[in-house]
Amino acid sequence: MNKMVSIVTPFYNEADGIDLYFESLLPLLEKMEYDYEVVCVDDGSRDTTFAQLEDWNRKDDHIKVIKLSRNFGKEAALTAGLDYCQGDAAIPIDADLQDNPALFPQMIAQWEAGFDVVLMQRKSRDESWFKRSSAKLFYRFINRLSNGGVPENVGDFRLMDRKVINTIRKLNEKSRFMKGLLSWPGFKTTTIVYDRPNRAVGTPKQSLKNLFKLAFTGIFAFSSFPLRVWTFIGLLITSGSGVFAIFLVTKKFLYNAAPPGYLSLMVVLLFLNGMLMINQGLIGEYISRIFDEVKARPIYVVDQIRKSKADDE
Ligand code: UDP
Ligand code: MG
């Protein structure tokens, strides 16, 4: 029996791009000497995405469609796709063809060479200066905090062996930062560098607000450093104010100079209260995430499934 490769793609309002997606993907897959399936997750699209995916599912029995009950976001949609894929390896790729399917053979070759994870690293980011530099800053920050767990300029586009998929499926936390979760299992990893183009059609479906939310999830879900840092800040302030107190008392007794009260008190008061509020906010971030975990709601809800050939075997 041939090994099977699963291509996993989340779709959210991608009606304009679906035909192009399958037309560029399927010929490449047919040429390979592997079994394959394309797992399409419709993340609650409001346009004709699901109807079009159904059409493709009828035309080609390699295509499986999972329709979620509403929009759960890309991270959840990708999770659904990994849960429902059956391949010996999976490759998540975006519907907008920013991840080049022509690289599949190269990725699979590395898998055959014994690597469990093949990371695809973007050489150039053909995106706005703002998106590029904010991404750079974010990776530097999160890697400093989480001990280098998130490779820079590597997206969800990668190949994962079944071992890795099964490990990721056990990570059922609700606060999902896929790049971190996908990298968490480790295993034998190699990296291929490639050029990432702009979106083929349509507009980005992830708003800037969502990307920021995701960045925060990344930080808070993968590091407790922001919580711990306050211990050090507290220690610093306490010892600092101790020294200041000694200074003031000495001044009083040696020179009989009383410190000017109002201004200095005001500054210290406002400063410390500000710090306390920031700290409260930070703790709040973690508590809200703990709250989400404790509620233990499902990460996504499936509405309908259109099976592929692999489901009948
Ligand atoms: N996507 C999704 N749910 C969403 C937003 C996006 O499934 O709520 C999908 C989208 O259809 C695409 C992929 O996630 O296949 C990446 O989206 P996009 O190109 O907008 O994001 P970016 O390239 O900026 O990461
Ligand atoms: Mg995109």
Side-chain angles (χ1 to χ4, degrees), residues 5 64 73-74 83 99 102 118 148 153 183 202 209 250 287 295:
V5 177
K64 172 165 20 188
K74 183 187 173 184
D83 285 346
D99 312 322
V118 185
N153 284 342
S183 303
K209 191 178 129 210
T250 322
I287 291 182
K295 280 186 289 188

Side-chain angles (χ1 to χ4, degrees), residues 141 145 219 223-230 232 286:
F141 190 57
L145 295 188
I219 291 166
S223 163
S224 50
F225 177 76
L227 275 179
R228 266 177 289 138
V229 73
W230 290 94
F232 298 106
Y286 286 95

Side-chain angles (χ1 to χ4, degrees), residues 41-56:
V41 183
D42 173 24
D43 186 17
S45 299
R46 269 178 258 274
D47 58 5
T48 54
T49 296
F50 182 62
Q52 279 174 266
L53 288 175
E54 271 187 308
D55 280 344
W56 276 98

Side-chain angles (χ1 to χ4, degrees), residues 188-232:
K188 202 172 163 205
T189 303
T190 182
T191 304
I192 298 178
V193 179
Y194 77 112
D195 268 315
R196 183 171 161 100
N198 271 332
R199 233 176 196 281
V201 278
T203 48
K205 303 294 182 286
Q206 305 242 65
S207 62
L208 200 60
K209 191 178 129 210
N210 274 342
L211 289 177
F212 267 109
K213 237 172 89 183
L214 194 63
F216 276 113
T217 303
I219 291 166
F220 293 123
F222 275 82
S223 163
S224 50
F225 177 76
L227 275 179
R228 266 177 289 138
V229 73
W230 290 94
T231 317
F232 298 106

Side-chain angles (χ1 to χ4, degrees), residues 78-129:
L78 190 56
T79 306
L82 290 177
D83 285 346
Y84 281 88
C85 78
Q86 295 175 35
D88 300 296
I91 305 178
I93 94 167
D94 285 357
D96 57 12
L97 294 174
Q98 277 189 293
D99 312 322
N100 186 357
L103 295 163
F104 290 168
Q106 252 175 286
M107 301 165 82
I108 292 171
Q110 293 294 320
W111 177 44
E112 287 294 356
F115 289 102
D116 299 313
V117 179
V118 185
L119 298 177
M120 302 303 289
Q121 188 172 46
R122 297 187 277 265
K123 184 159 43 176
S124 64
R125 279 179 85 108
D126 208 4
E127 287 166 327
S128 70
W129 173 85

